[in-house]
Amino acid sequence: MALIKEDLAGSIFQQFDFTRAQSVQVVESILDIIKQTLGNGEEILISGFGKFYINEKRKQRGRNPKTGDDLMLRPRKVVKFRPSGGLRDRMNGKNNIPLSEKLS
């Protein structure tokens, strides 16, 4: 199951003294900041989580999977994510202590 914006807003609503509308606005504002920053070509580094950055792909040969025809893919920019060491360890079961316990 995927985590959706509604889930993020619901979690903020439960953990903080915000209304549902304020929680939705917080999530939307954060996502807008992320989109704007990446759109400006800047990186986003979130300590303990990871880094979002833009990778430029050059022109390359491709193939239409439906017809099998060869084609040239234009140069483009893509967003990439590199997890922090702590997140990578947590994903691999090396560190299963919940963040809320670490902050206590």
Side-chain angles (χ1 to χ4, degrees), residues 4 9-11 13 19 25 27 29 46 49 53 57 64 75 82 88 91-92 102:
I4 60 174
S11 182
F13 172 72
T19 65
Q25 185 60 43
V27 171
S29 295
I46 303 171
F49 184 69
Y53 60 99
K57 294 189 150 213
N64 181 333
R82 179 169 292 143
R88 193 172 32 251
M91 290 182 329
N92 290 309
K102 288 182 181 182

Side-chain angles (χ1 to χ4, degrees), residues 10-65:
S11 182
I12 290 171
F13 172 72
Q14 290 174 354
Q15 293 181 24
F16 301 98
D17 192 23
F18 291 162
T19 65
R20 284 205 183 272
Q22 289 172 324
S23 300
V24 168
Q25 185 60 43
V26 166
V27 171
E28 290 292 341
S29 295
I30 291 170
L31 293 175
D32 285 343
I33 291 167
I34 291 172
K35 287 185 246 182
Q36 183 176 3
T37 303
L38 289 170
N40 292 336
E42 299 175 56
E43 296 178 348
I44 298 172
L45 176 62
I46 303 171
S47 181
F49 184 69
K51 179 166 100 172
F52 293 91
Y53 60 99
I54 302 294
N55 189 31
E56 295 195 27
K57 294 189 150 213
R58 65 185 198 288
K59 182 171 88 170
Q60 61 188 21
R61 283 196 319 211
R63 185 179 64 82
N64 181 333

Side-chain angles (χ1 to χ4, degrees), residues 48-51 81-96:
F49 184 69
K51 179 166 100 172
F81 176 74
R82 179 169 292 143
S84 71
L87 177 58
R88 193 172 32 251
D89 288 345
R90 190 177 183 132
M91 290 182 329
N92 290 309
K94 295 180 183 174
N95 186 0
N96 289 326

